[in-house]
Amino acid sequence: MQPGIKLENFSKSYHAGEVEVHAVRNISLEIQPGEFVAIMGASGSGKSTMMNTIGCLDRPTSGRYFLDGVDVGGLTRDELADLRNQKIGFVFQGFNLLARTSAFENVELPMLYSRPGVRGREQRERAEKALELVGLGERADHQPSQLSGGQQQRVAIARALVNQPKLLLADEPTGNLDTHTSIEIMGIFQDLNRRGMTVIMVTHELDIARYAMRTVVMRDGRIVTDQPVTGRLDAAEELRKLKQEQQAIQLAP
Amino acid sequence: MILLKTFSIAVRALRRNTLRTLLTMLGIIFGVAAVIAMVSLGNGARAQLEASIAALGQNVVTVWSGTMSRGGFRGGFGSSGTLTAEDYEAIRKEVAGVNGVSPEVRNFAQLAAGNQNINSQIMGVGAQYIDIRSWPCSSGENFTEADVRNANKVALIGKTTAEILFADEEPVGQIVRVKSAPFRIVGVLASKGSDMWGRDQDDILLVPYTSAMRRLTGDLTFRSLMLQAASPQILGTVTNQVADLLRQRHRITGGKDDDFMVRTQQETVELFDAQARTTRELLFYVALISLIVGGIGVMNIMLVSVTERTREIGVRLAVGARGLDILLQFLTEAVTLSLTGGALGIAFGVACSRLVTQQLGWPTLTSSGSIVLAFGVSAAIGIFFGFYPSLKASRLDPIDALRYE
Ligand SMILES: Nc1ncnc2c1ncn2[C@@H]1O[C@H](COP(=O)(O)OP(=O)(O)OP(=O)(O)O)[C@@H](O)[C@H]1O
Ligand SMILES: [Mg+2]
């Protein structure tokens, strides 16, 4: 079977003033459709850089990147934009929601740029459905500043899902979130993954990585380990356990 | 559909900073207002010009005492004048193709009848004057050549003056006192309306020029003569004949300057229009500069907006907006900004035109053409000055835009 994602000797370097920063060095990686991959590594190890390339936001400095067999390096700006719109849902490190814009309108955003366009009514329905999926149906008209961090993260996830992409990329989706909310978000990811979506997420936390099927660890722009997860956690199960523990110390009703 | 969405995004973005949006629009508002005012004034002046050409009478040629250079009248005009009674007689006798000739002796004086009085224009003219100007009597009759010869104290009264002095009474046969000299009214002139300066032409008393010169002004010369050519084709010939005759009589030879001026009605009116045109040209430049300044304001605010919203642009690009989508969004914003400014400017301009007419009495005429023009100009400004910032926005790299602090 053709891999969904294939990086071939992929490198990315930046020019910061005089010095050249090698953010990613010569990585080769294959991810099959339907996988759930956690990418780990210290700060600055090149995780976001690799995610940006996989998300078609950026092009490799050298090496090649194939998405569904298509060499992304050879596509035009507009073709990349269409790929991002149709095939990829991206949850950014730090949400990147539009300020002073309601959750609903934030979720609608990708549909504004779909080709062919989405009809007004369908657009509303899909945005509502995506918000319900992340459990934010009631907060549709709240602006980001009126939402908690976890809620903002869910809006970002709803926005990533609204065009029904095959690939979901999440850069530190649980950074700054409490354990309970983190597990809930892992629950959403596991559900989506079970329904066939490829999920790739970056995380610093070992126990969050255990909700994935496979972990890739990076250091200084290189992959140092790439192995399946042993003792994989199930979010529903973990939530139940957590609830019991919290009840014991009266944290939850 | 897409356009509507783009438009609503633009309006939302502009409303987020209402004060800044308004300040940005000021330049456009003034520029467009100036365009509207300019065109209205121009149209008004032209309409009135045409009306006054018709009001002067058909094929009328005026001979002015003194000359008028580019700067205005020079010599003669306003002082005693260079046209004599003999010049007048000579023109009557010697110039062919002329239906009538009449001097014009202008003066202002207090008129009294019964216990009413009014300050009016008294004009001394020949018996042919009202025919030259196609200005018939609505009642009574014109005075005669004999009245002119004998300097009789007879008068034709304008409609306005008649109404003020005599109210509902019939003026013909009544006596009007001009500086205490009693004049008998022989006819009432038909209404002629306002002239090109907005003056009421019906507020007038016409008397034989001989009576006016002898009893009222004491002048011995005329400031102007008016004559009517038999047909439009011979206007040029008549003008030349009159000029030649006067040069000969005034002994003006070789390169010496004329001490008189012969103008057809068209030329006369246009001479006065030149002044109005200067005002309009000035307004045009004011409008142009305002519009350019306004456009630069739009460009400036759009550049600020693009910089401020770099992250937003990054987000839009990241979820699949193409460069063109971003370009259109910002361009729509710029055009919305300039069109709103344009609409406010049109309202302001129309209000100004009304005010000018009301306060200064200048005629204005706001045409739908000028409104369309103003809208077009503001849209063009939005597109022209909004293009560069929009292009800049559309060329941003998604990652750079997202990382922008
Ligand atoms: N636009 C850029 N210009 C210059 N250097 C950059 C740029 N983007 C990333 N880098 C550098 O590339 C390296 C990798 O950055 P990257 O953001 O991929 O790290 P990361 O693994 O995501 O870190 P974190 O866990 O803190 O998010 C860093 O050293 C960073 O300084
Ligand atoms: Mg990162």
Side-chain angles (χ1 to χ4, degrees):
Chain A
M1 195 172 137
Q2 192 186 46
I5 289 165
K6 184 176 175 191
L7 290 169
E8 232 176 52
N9 304 321
F10 158 61
S11 295
K12 182 82 194 175
S13 50
Y14 295 102
H15 294 277
E18 292 290 285
V19 285
E20 197 172 13
V21 183
H22 296 278
V24 174
R25 306 163 196 251
N26 208 28
I27 277 182
S28 292
L29 178 72
E30 285 186 14
I31 294 171
Q32 307 299 330
E35 274 197 278
F36 186 169
V37 182
I39 295 172
M40 303 194 68
S43 188
S45 57
K47 305 181 296 293
S48 295
T49 306
M50 187 168 82
M51 287 289 269
N52 290 341
T53 304
I54 294 175
C56 296
L57 280 163
D58 216 349
R59 278 182 273 217
T61 309
S62 70
R64 301 211 282 177
Y65 165 41
F66 296 92
L67 177 65
D68 289 335
V70 177
D71 186 354
V72 170
L75 299 180
T76 65
R77 258 178 77 103
D78 283 352
E79 285 167 331
L80 287 180
D82 291 350
L83 269 185
R84 291 196 292 273
N85 189 258
Q86 293 304 315
K87 290 199 175 175
I88 300 165
F90 209 119
V91 182
F92 297 96
Q93 187 168 12
F95 321 138
N96 274 325
L97 298 177
L98 293 191
R100 280 168 287 184
T101 307
S102 73
F104 190 80
E105 284 170 325
N106 263 293
V107 174
E108 277 185 319
L109 200 62
M111 292 186 283
L112 298 186
Y113 302 112
S114 293
R115 281 156 229 269
V118 182
R119 289 177 165 281
R121 183 143 158 243
E122 193 194 337
Q123 183 172 313
R124 264 193 310 281
E125 284 169 2
R126 266 162 63 177
E128 273 163 22
K129 230 176 91 187
L131 275 170
E132 268 160 31
L133 194 79
V134 296
L136 270 184
E138 275 96 71
R139 310 267 164 158
D141 45 357
H142 285 52
Q143 297 185 355
S145 59
Q146 303 164 320
L147 293 171
S148 73
Q151 288 165 336
Q152 290 184 47
Q153 187 65 290
R154 287 167 202 236
V155 176
I157 295 170
R159 182 178 67 191
L161 297 177
V162 80
N163 263 349
Q164 291 140 356
K166 282 199 274 179
L167 175 59
L168 181 68
L169 301 172
D171 198 348
E172 295 198 35
T174 60
N176 310 321
L177 297 187
D178 65 53
T179 322
H180 187 266
T181 317
S182 300
I183 300 174
E184 276 181 348
I185 285 175
M186 285 308 108
I188 296 169
F189 283 9
Q190 285 189 334
D191 275 350
L192 292 165
N193 179 243
R194 251 174 239 128
R195 281 185 242 160
M197 196 179 283
T198 312
V199 180
I200 304 174
M201 69 171 176
V202 170
T203 181
H204 279 293
E205 298 154 87
L206 261 171
D207 45 341
I208 290 297
R210 285 176 65 199
Y211 291 92
M213 298 172 179
R214 170 181 170 192
T215 39
V216 172
V217 180
M218 294 180 70
R219 191 187 304 143
D220 293 333
R222 292 197 176 86
I223 294 177
V224 285
T225 52
D226 180 351
Q227 60 194 25
V229 173
T230 48
R232 190 177 181 212
L233 298 176
D234 177 65
E237 178 67 30
E238 291 307 306
L239 267 181
R240 201 166 39 245
K241 274 197 233 159
L242 190 66
K243 215 167 194 174
Q244 279 168 3
E245 284 166 28
Q246 285 177 337
Q247 265 164 353
I249 58 162
Q250 312 260 300
L251 241 173
Chain B
M1 192 66 208
I2 296 283
L3 218 70
L4 207 72
K5 275 181 195 164
T6 319
F7 180 71
S8 78
I9 292 171
V11 170
R12 218 178 290 155
L14 290 174
R15 278 225 309 249
R16 250 182 248 162
N17 224 323
T18 322
L19 181 66
R20 194 173 77 186
T21 305
L22 258 166
L23 288 176
T24 309
M25 288 190 301
L26 273 186
I28 302 224
I29 292 175
F30 285 127
V32 167
V35 169
I36 293 283
M38 176 188 75
V39 177
S40 308
L41 272 173
N43 286 347
R46 180 127 306 269
Q48 197 158 41
L49 199 67
E50 275 156 18
S52 33
I53 288 173
L56 265 183
Q58 296 288 308
N59 314 324
V60 171
V61 175
T62 309
V63 185
W64 302 93
S65 166
T67 52
M68 193 201 263
S69 61
R70 252 186 314 147
F73 291 107
R74 181 157 56 86
F77 191 86
S79 58
S80 63
T82 57
L83 301 169
T84 62
E86 290 76 34
D87 289 336
Y88 166 57
E89 291 300 334
I91 291 171
R92 285 188 83 170
K93 284 198 196 89
E94 292 172 35
V95 180
V98 174
N99 282 355
V101 190
S102 165
E104 283 182 313
V105 179
R106 289 166 193 268
N107 192 25
F108 278 90
Q110 179 93 359
L111 306 184
N115 53 7
Q116 299 292 324
N117 58 65
I118 178 180
N119 221 345
S120 267
Q121 180 172 215
I122 318 288
M123 196 139 87
V125 295
Q128 294 170 325
Y129 183 75
I130 65 173
D131 293 331
I132 296 171
R133 294 207 51 194
S134 326
W135 200 356
C137 288
S138 61
S139 71
E141 271 171 11
N142 192 9
F143 49 75
T144 61
E145 290 289 353
D147 286 327
V148 174
R149 241 184 344 266
N150 301 329
N152 285 342
K153 290 181 276 185
V154 288
L156 298 172
I157 194 167
K159 192 163 162 281
T160 308
T161 319
E163 275 165 7
I164 292 170
L165 290 180
F166 301 107
D168 298 333
E169 279 178 72
E170 172 58 53
V172 176
Q174 305 258 23
I175 296 294
V176 58
R177 292 181 173 277
V178 185
K179 286 185 181 168
S180 78
F183 278 73
R184 188 167 48 85
I185 293 169
V186 293
V188 180
L189 293 163
S191 176
K192 202 145 177 104
S194 312
D195 68 6
M196 64 177 125
W197 300 280
R199 217 167 36 205
D200 182 7
Q201 298 183 92
D202 296 326
D203 183 9
I204 200 167
L205 195 73
L206 295 184
V207 300
Y209 70 93
T210 45
S211 318
M213 290 166 88
R214 204 167 300 168
R215 298 176 204 280
L216 300 174
T217 66
D219 285 346
L220 296 171
T221 54
F222 308 122
R223 285 177 206 163
S224 59
L225 293 173
M226 203 176 245
L227 52 110
Q228 185 179 39
S231 74
Q233 288 78 20
I234 61 164
L235 266 176
T237 338
V238 168
T239 307
N240 289 338
Q241 279 184 57
V242 172
D244 288 344
L245 180 67
L246 287 177
R247 268 186 215 118
Q248 190 190 321
R249 292 186 55 85
H250 293 187
R251 306 213 158 70
I252 297 167
T253 52
K256 271 199 263 173
D257 286 341
D258 289 346
D259 59 357
F260 63 88
M261 218 173 36
V262 189
R263 292 275 184 274
T264 62
Q265 55 188 348
Q266 184 87 24
E267 290 166 337
T268 309
V269 164
E270 273 168 10
L271 222 48
F272 286 103
D273 185 43
Q275 202 183 333
R277 201 176 302 144
T278 317
T279 316
R280 266 178 278 142
E281 265 166 26
L282 200 73
L283 256 174
F284 172 77
Y285 288 113
V286 170
L288 195 72
I289 291 169
S290 293
L291 286 175
I292 290 174
V293 170
I296 292 170
V298 169
M299 177 131 113
N300 180 39
I301 222 65
M302 291 312 294
L303 282 173
V304 170
S305 182
V306 167
T307 310
E308 266 182 2
R309 287 153 67 195
T310 302
R311 277 178 79 93
E312 175 194 325
I313 295 166
V315 171
R316 291 179 186 275
L317 288 170
V319 300
R322 291 185 183 181
L324 186 69
D325 293 322
I326 302 293
L327 182 95
L328 283 181
Q329 182 191 329
F330 280 89
L331 211 51
T332 309
E333 208 169 303
V335 172
T336 307
L337 190 71
S338 61
L339 275 186
T340 313
L344 292 176
I346 288 170
F348 188 46
V350 170
C352 281
S353 304
R354 294 260 162 85
L355 207 70
V356 160
T357 309
Q358 233 171 54
Q359 298 295 316
L360 303 177
W362 294 0
T364 54
L365 198 78
T366 312
S367 65
S368 52
S370 62
I371 288 176
V372 171
L373 176 82
F375 255 117
V377 166
S378 7
I381 284 176
I383 292 173
F384 185 80
F385 288 97
F387 192 78
Y388 171 69
S390 308
L391 189 71
K392 218 178 131 185
S394 73
R395 292 212 171 138
L396 282 175
D397 179 76
I399 292 293
D400 290 345
L402 281 172
R403 294 175 76 105
Y404 183 84
E405 296 298 326

